[in-house]
Amino acid sequence: MQGTMLYGTRDVRFEDRPEPKITKPTDAIIRLSATCVCGSDLWPYRGIQATVEPTPMGHEYCGIVEEVGKQVRNIRPGQFAVGSFATSDNTCVICSDGYQSSCVQREWLSGAQAPFLRVPLADGTLVPTKDLPPKELIPSLLATSDVLGTGWFAADAANVKPGKTVLVVGDGAVGLLGALSAKQMGAERIIVMSRHASRQKLAREFGASDIVTERGDDGVARIKELTKGIGADSVLECVGTQESMMQAIQSTRPGGYVSYVGVPHGVELNGEQLFFAHVHLHGGPAPVRRYLPELIKLVLNEKINPGKVFDLTLPIDQVAEGYRAMDDRRAIKALLRP
Ligand SMILES: [Zn+2]
């Protein structure tokens, strides 16, 4: 088969790769129905995170189970299944507490930008659907695998509740789906910070009530203006830079909640500033597995349409164009068809 490899800065290649095989009795092999490029793939693509050796890319996936190892009990060949970028046994004490992305047996999954994928710990990682889903729901089911799961965690970790005022920092796919998640959780007011017309439009479709285009101190001042001078109850930081993190913390009311789900790059917090901000901070790699059953159900019942974040669809051999389009911000998120 052929698969996606990153060789270095802006050097993505679709090339011959060994077909994945069952290597442990707890593995499954999936034939992907769709995969995509993640915002976090752009960190190494842009060279902000070093690529030491050619690296198989991709960690968002859904598809048909081809084969399972001898110890796999809950997943059968022929089923459609979705899984997370972090594998999990779903039985250890960390998993039981809902933090599957820090499972004691966790592996970071990669190599999903390809037609086939080996999924370790298949029983704990994959969530199968009862029937094969209709084709038109595949993009939304793919979204549950990471980008929606992460946006949902952002909203949950920021304690979004009915009636609350929510601020989303970041208008990437995760931020936009953070707005969708906040809407589902009953937020009364959802403010999204965005300067891009197409992203603002999608944010409104997903439930944003206000759009703020200012950034930095002006951005904070605008949020205070919109919240009677006190700040938002729940703030979702969906970028991972120093500027976005400070924007988030300073826009939160004392006693409010900040979640952070963008992989931080160069973020450093000042202890004294943090002390007097008086906010709850909670984030990390989203435990997508915790939310998958619920999110898959919402998609299958057509209550939500998170697949709308894919504004570019390419055959997988054009994966390099998907990276370019996202790097240039010509596309919000690129879906790849194997
Ligand atoms: Zn576990």
Side-chain angles (χ1 to χ4, degrees), residues 152 155 160-162 166 176-190 203-209 236 304:
W152 196 272
V160 174
K161 295 268 192 307
V166 176
L176 294 170
L177 290 174
L180 177 150
S181 304
K183 183 75 185 171
Q184 285 293 312
M185 294 175 192
E188 183 172 305
R189 193 165 189 198
I190 301 168
R204 287 204 186 271
E205 270 182 58
F206 284 158
S209 49
L236 287 54
I304 54 173

Side-chain angles (χ1 to χ4, degrees), residues 88-96 100 102-106:
S88 53
D89 55 24
N90 212 28
T91 54
C92 76
V93 62
I94 310 292
C95 284
S96 305
Q100 287 90 340
S102 284
C103 172
V104 297
Q105 296 200 64
R106 177 196 63 203

